[in-house]
Amino acid sequence: MDSHIKRSRLLGNPIPSSEITPEAVYRARRQFMTGAVAVGLTGVPALARAEGAAKTASLSGVKKSSLSVTGEETSTWDNATTYNNYYEFGTSKSDPAENAHTLKVRPWTIVCDGEIKKPQKLDIDALIKTFALEERVSRFRCVEAWSMVIPWVGFPLSKLLEKLQPTSRAKYIALETVYDPDRMPGQHRPVLDWPYVEGLRIDEAMHPLTMLAVGMYGRVLPNQNGAPLRLIVPWKYGFKSVKSIAKITLLEQQPKTAWNVRNPGEYGFYANVNPQVDHPRWSQAKERRIGDFLRRKTLMFNGYSTQVASLYTGMDLRKLY
Ligand SMILES: Nc1nc2c(c(=O)[nH]1)N[C@H]1C(S)=C(S)[C@@H](COP(=O)(O)O)O[C@H]1N2
Ligand SMILES: [Mo]
């Protein structure tokens, strides 16, 4: 490993600084690009941007969820599909839209094992047919202090868990993507301990707000957003919502999770959105809604306190961040 990478790793950031697009620069570039006159003048190939925003197939028979956030403007399709974190396809925000289309998402199997009475392999299309799909508008808050509002399409994770029948020993769930550097070239680099894995306590997993998403904006999930199946836990930081899930394991012990293993001092297992607990390198008190100019205050549990605060009664959320 070259010394540049080693040095930046010591600072808690495994990516050479030369490869990071600072968010401010990126945003300035996007704002520049979205001005009608400026389009075509930048170094970003127009084709790559067009691909990022390409519309996927529509999903039918989707019912509106009563758990949607109301009174907040949803993010644009273009922002939601071109400003992404998906390190298997590169570490800058525009990389996933440019690179993730190479991932083949059919056929796709989800292996379910561990502390369940019905271990099984599920085909993604069978899964989509099994559960009633709902559209649910949710706030999404990345640990990097940006946010969006997305109309996800999916079903509650609890519905799948009912089918798998956790044993009495199941206390946690781990969800992980595939390990296949040929399909996910970012896995050739030691950014994280691949494959990306995330986890929840079983009561968090059973909470009605916790979703498995197969679509957004009434359409099939684009690859860069985690096709064919990704987790959504709207009161937690975005890194909990693992993309392109290929394995679900119920466990007695708390699983090791990707960002927590990488840097436990910065990324906790719980990762509940909490404006009072700063990230060691920046404040979490405010966030930028992508598309907005001014920052807004971050809300406790991302605005879902009334629904989820009782899950954490008696816990010190400063220690268990
Ligand atoms: N497999 C995988 N899942 C992932 C990530 C990743 O790098 N790999 N990034 C996470 C982070 S940090 C965020 S903020 C969200 C981003 O989701 P979005 O691109 O749909 O907004 O995906 C999460 N899920
Ligand atoms: Mo994130």
Side-chain angles (χ1 to χ4, degrees), residues 84-88 140 142 146 152 177 196 224-225 230 238-239 241-243:
N84 301 103
N85 274 337
Y86 196 170
Y87 279 17
E88 287 87 337
F140 185 87
C142 174
W146 53 267
W152 301 108
T177 187
Y196 198 107
Q224 61 266 37
N225 294 90
R230 61 99 52 96
F239 68 87
S241 61
V242 49
K243 296 178 169 180

Side-chain angles (χ1 to χ4, degrees), residues 213-243:
V214 298
M216 56 194 238
Y217 301 85
R219 297 177 178 278
V220 170
L221 272 185
N223 283 4
Q224 61 266 37
N225 294 90
L229 185 73
R230 61 99 52 96
L231 183 66
I232 298 298
V233 197
W235 71 95
K236 292 178 181 278
Y237 291 120
F239 68 87
K240 296 301 282 184
S241 61
V242 49
K243 296 178 169 180

Side-chain angles (χ1 to χ4, degrees), residues 83-123:
Y83 189 91
N84 301 103
N85 274 337
Y86 196 170
Y87 279 17
E88 287 87 337
F89 295 98
T91 51
S92 68
K93 297 286 178 281
S94 54
D95 283 344
E98 282 168 33
N99 303 327
H101 64 270
T102 60
L103 183 69
K104 264 191 65 194
V105 296
R106 290 296 188 285
W108 189 278
T109 308
I110 300 121
V111 176
C112 304
D113 64 8
E115 290 293 342
I116 48 178
K117 291 178 196 137
K118 308 263 173 185
Q120 54 196 288
K121 290 181 178 157
L122 294 164
D123 171 70

Side-chain angles (χ1 to χ4, degrees), residues 287-302:
E287 69 200 53
R288 188 175 314 277
R289 189 68 50 94
I290 300 298
D292 282 4
F293 182 68
L294 294 174
R295 294 194 301 160
R296 65 179 66 210
K297 278 190 179 151
T298 287
L299 303 173
M300 187 63 198
F301 295 118
N302 207 21

